[in-house]
Amino acid sequence: ALAALTCCNRYDGVADTLQRAESLLPIRHDSAAVHLDSIAHPARLPEDSRALYGLLRTIVQNRQGKGVKSDSLIRGSYEYYRDASRAGQTSDEALLRRYAQSCYYMALFYKACDSIKQCEELFNQAAKYSERCEDWHTCYLAHIQLCVTSCWSNPEYAVRQALKALYFYHKIDDDVNNEVLILLNIANMYFTTADTSKALQYYFEAYELAEQNNLPKSRNEVCKGIANTYLFMGENARALAYAQKAATMADSVTSFSLQYTLAECYKACDSLKKAKKIYELISHDSNQMNRYFVYRNLSEITFQA
């Protein structure tokens, strides 16, 4: 009896630790990680604690920028919460929230594997059940992902998902980085549907927010979007001004897409030598499709010269 009581007390302590870690997420993920690290032998935990540990550890790793490249933790958590919640039919809000979150992170794993149908189904589940239990963070993230996964196949649907993400974000306003990301996605989707006035409206809204909160990477990405929009509209001088602004503010390691946009703008403004110089710099990109577009443009410049 004493051994059973000791075991019970030990697991009660683990349950408290898990709840403290959960209360710190998603914002204070480093502090949550300290609590999770204090748990010895998580594989030996009771099933419910093991499921929560797997979910929380997955959230922490994703917040640390590691993504969800393996399902070794999240699959067990997802299956446990799916069964325990009767696939979202429970009236227990904590259980429903964990089920919605497990759907979201299981979907991220499928996205990493390019299993688009499976990931979209799970993002939809995450959006549906997180809304029901008012987990607005998971809800707006799920809608962002639904926007991203459908941006080429169904841009009109993607616009609606991005607008829903913004609506649910404003119920919590928990991370300005995500607000800028959502505005950027809305603008990108309007650009994809050739609604340039709406695209510019949201790009400039995102730009102001990034400026106010000193978010240089987001600001550069927005400038690139503005440049591409003006380029599409044939306003080449404006396009070049924003591409230059993005390149000037960028880190020493500038993304391929930003350099490509800058080269495109120089080309459109007949600054062929400058365009050629940038194309040559990025001509060895590891992506085969990127190299194709670069060499095609280099060929056009050579022909024009």
Side-chain angles (χ1 to χ4, degrees), residues 88-102:
Q89 300 312 304
T90 182
S91 58
D92 183 329
E93 286 205 358
L95 197 56
L96 188 60
R97 183 183 70 251
R98 291 167 184 168
Y99 172 59
Q101 290 173 350
S102 70

Side-chain angles (χ1 to χ4, degrees), residues 29-64:
H29 57 274
D30 290 332
S31 298
V34 172
H35 288 296
L36 295 178
D37 291 342
S38 72
I39 298 174
H41 310 298
R44 299 179 190 174
L45 294 174
E47 188 180 18
D48 57 343
S49 294
R50 194 165 66 247
L52 182 55
Y53 175 88
L55 174 61
L56 300 182
R57 180 62 78 181
T58 301
I59 295 172
V60 165
Q61 290 177 348
N62 189 64
R63 291 284 294 181
Q64 291 172 336

Side-chain angles (χ1 to χ4, degrees), residues 279-297:
Y279 284 133
E280 287 174 343
L281 282 172
I282 60 176
S283 63
H284 303 294
D285 189 82
S286 58
N287 184 287
Q288 186 176 352
M289 187 59 73
N290 288 348
R291 290 199 306 273
Y292 164 76
F293 283 115
V294 168
Y295 282 115
R296 188 187 69 178
N297 284 316

Side-chain angles (χ1 to χ4, degrees), residues 50-273:
R50 194 165 66 247
L52 182 55
Y53 175 88
L55 174 61
L56 300 182
R57 180 62 78 181
T58 301
I59 295 172
V60 165
Q61 290 177 348
N62 189 64
R63 291 284 294 181
Q64 291 172 336
K66 298 174 184 176
V68 187
K69 298 174 184 176
S70 166
D71 64 344
S72 59
L73 279 172
I74 192 58
R75 186 173 293 279
S77 302
Y78 164 71
E79 291 176 350
Y80 173 83
Y81 289 121
R82 179 195 62 198
D83 295 343
S85 70
R86 303 187 308 281
Q89 300 312 304
T90 182
S91 58
D92 183 329
E93 286 205 358
L95 197 56
L96 188 60
R97 183 183 70 251
R98 291 167 184 168
Y99 172 59
Q101 290 173 350
S102 70
C103 285
Y104 178 80
Y105 289 97
M106 193 71 210
L108 286 184
F109 166 72
Y110 281 123
K111 184 183 177 185
C113 299
D114 292 324
S115 300
I116 300 303
K117 183 180 179 183
Q118 289 165 303
C119 84
E120 285 184 342
E121 287 174 359
L122 283 167
F123 283 137
N124 272 303
Q125 294 290 90
K128 177 180 178 180
Y129 294 112
S130 58
E131 181 180 358
R132 185 176 294 179
C133 66
E134 299 185 358
D135 175 4
W136 304 124
H137 183 83
T138 303
C139 190
Y140 76 70
L141 287 181
H143 283 291
I144 290 174
Q145 291 293 343
L146 285 168
C147 165
V148 171
T149 57
S150 61
C151 64
W152 298 114
S153 60
N154 192 342
E156 289 80 10
Y157 170 81
V159 168
R160 293 196 298 274
Q161 292 303 314
L163 289 168
K164 282 184 179 181
L166 186 62
Y167 170 77
F168 289 118
Y169 174 83
H170 283 312
K171 287 182 175 289
I172 188 170
D173 290 319
D174 63 344
D175 188 341
V176 71
N177 289 282
N178 285 338
E179 185 177 4
V180 174
L181 175 65
I182 293 168
L183 291 168
L184 185 57
N185 271 287
I186 296 171
N188 287 342
M189 290 307 98
Y190 276 125
F191 175 71
T192 303
T193 61
D195 190 338
T196 53
S197 62
K198 284 280 190 183
L200 288 173
Q201 174 191 329
Y202 283 98
Y203 278 133
F204 282 118
E205 194 173 334
Y207 181 83
E208 285 183 23
L209 199 60
E211 278 275 271
Q212 290 166 7
N213 292 277
N214 192 27
L215 305 174
K217 288 185 179 179
S218 298
R219 183 182 54 198
N220 295 347
E221 194 66 23
V222 172
C223 282
K224 183 185 73 177
I226 295 171
N228 280 320
T229 305
Y230 279 134
L231 197 61
F232 177 79
M233 296 167 66
E235 297 190 28
N236 300 333
R238 281 186 172 182
L240 179 57
Y242 277 97
Q244 288 173 324
K245 184 180 288 190
T248 301
M249 296 185 298
D251 298 333
S252 57
V253 180
T254 309
S255 69
F256 172 89
S257 61
L258 178 51
Q259 289 176 305
Y260 185 83
T261 296
L262 182 59
E264 287 280 273
C265 292
Y266 276 126
K267 182 184 169 194
C269 292
D270 292 326
S271 298
L272 299 185
K273 285 185 178 179

